[in-house]
Amino acid sequence: EAQVTQNPRYLITVTGKKLTVTCSQNMNHEYMSWYRQDPGLGLRQIYYSMNVEVTDKGDVPEGYKVSRKEKRNFPLILESPSPNQTSLYFCASSQWTGGGEKLFFGSGTQLSVL
Amino acid sequence: ELKVEQNPLFLSMQEGKNYTIYCNYSTTSDRLYWYRQDPGKSLESLFVLLSNGAVKQEGRLMASLDTKARLSTLHITAAVHDLSATYFCAVQETSGSRLTFGEGTQLTVNP
């Protein structure tokens, strides 16, 4: 089954404790991206990756890191989480075709930073 | 900076009625997407609109794109309760892969 898998689904942590949210896709997509969703703000893009070793900043990259060492994986790293990073995070992957670039989203990770 | 605005942000409607959600954006683009999100769930792709005048329909939903007016609409025909969800439009800059979402429209369809 084609899917984007995020882990963990829920995460509670404390300020300053490094964490990683994993994202993996099994569709051989070149494009992957991370978003955070906050009430009243919609989804905001954090980082995206066009292919292995190619990443770029989205609209809200501060406080986040990413890496793309393999095509299928695109982890999101918070080196020193702060309470303002409490949010719902989504990973997505896509492949551009003549019909457009439909995103496939993971199930989301609800992060709380205390 | 690309801005995407949806209206209304909240919409309560009766079953059987028609309504339109609007998505305005601030810069040149010919790639617009609509997504649906059910409460507590992830996002699901509804439509991909790639050119001026593009129109796509799926069941009771129809989406259109006017790139000159920088406007997309999502029209709901004869609403049913199952359409209750939050709907997002997203615009992709022509020059790259950055994707900007609107705030979302929370639709509630009442019996």
Side-chain angles (χ1 to χ4, degrees), chain A residues 9 31 35 37 40-43 45 48 50 57-59 88 90 96 98-103 105-108, chain B residues 1 31 33 35 37 40-45 48 50 56 88 92-93 96-104:
Chain A
R9 183 74 177 88
Y31 179 89
Y35 302 85
Q37 184 175 21
L41 296 176
L43 277 80
Q45 192 177 54
Y48 62 94
M50 302 286 283
K57 296 176 181 179
D59 291 322
L88 177 59
F90 288 100
W96 176 262
E101 189 170 357
K102 187 170 79 171
L103 288 173
F105 283 86
S107 301
Chain B
E1 179 189 348
R31 300 182 188 178
Y33 306 84
Y35 292 88
Q37 185 180 35
K41 303 288 187 182
S42 187
L43 283 84
E44 172 191 355
S45 177
V48 178
L50 297 178
K56 296 276 183 76
F88 292 95
Q92 190 164 29
E93 295 176 10
S97 288
R98 289 178 67 163
L99 191 63
T100 301
F101 281 77
E103 309 98 314

Side-chain angles (χ1 to χ4, degrees), chain A residues 78-98:
Chain A
L78 285 72
E79 295 267 3
S80 182
S82 62
N84 65 12
Q85 292 178 297
T86 292
S87 187
L88 177 59
Y89 292 85
F90 288 100
C91 176
S93 74
S94 67
Q95 185 81 22
W96 176 262
T97 67

Side-chain angles (χ1 to χ4, degrees), chain B residues 53-92:
Chain B
V55 177
K56 296 276 183 76
Q57 183 161 6
E58 179 83 27
R60 301 175 187 274
L61 300 177
M62 183 173 72
S64 66
L65 178 61
D66 182 342
T67 58
K68 294 178 182 175
R70 298 179 184 173
L71 171 69
S72 179
T73 61
L74 181 66
H75 186 72
I76 303 153
T77 301
V80 293
H81 180 69
D82 284 353
L83 290 179
S84 296
T86 299
Y87 294 85
F88 292 95
C89 65
V91 178
Q92 190 164 29

Side-chain angles (χ1 to χ4, degrees), chain A residues 6-11 19 21-23 33-38 43-47 60 62-64 76-78 81-92 105-113, chain B residues 37 41-43:
Chain A
Q6 277 181 246
N7 281 297
R9 183 74 177 88
Y10 301 94
L11 180 57
L19 66 90
V21 183
T22 63
C23 176
S33 51
W34 277 102
Y35 302 85
R36 60 177 288 174
Q37 184 175 21
D38 301 289
L43 277 80
R44 292 179 291 170
Q45 192 177 54
I46 303 170
Y47 270 96
V60 288
E62 295 79 18
Y64 304 94
L76 180 69
I77 304 158
L78 285 72
S82 62
N84 65 12
Q85 292 178 297
T86 292
S87 187
L88 177 59
Y89 292 85
F90 288 100
C91 176
F105 283 86
S107 301
T109 296
Q110 181 66 60
L111 172 65
S112 295
V113 183
Chain B
Q37 185 180 35
K41 303 288 187 182
S42 187
L43 283 84

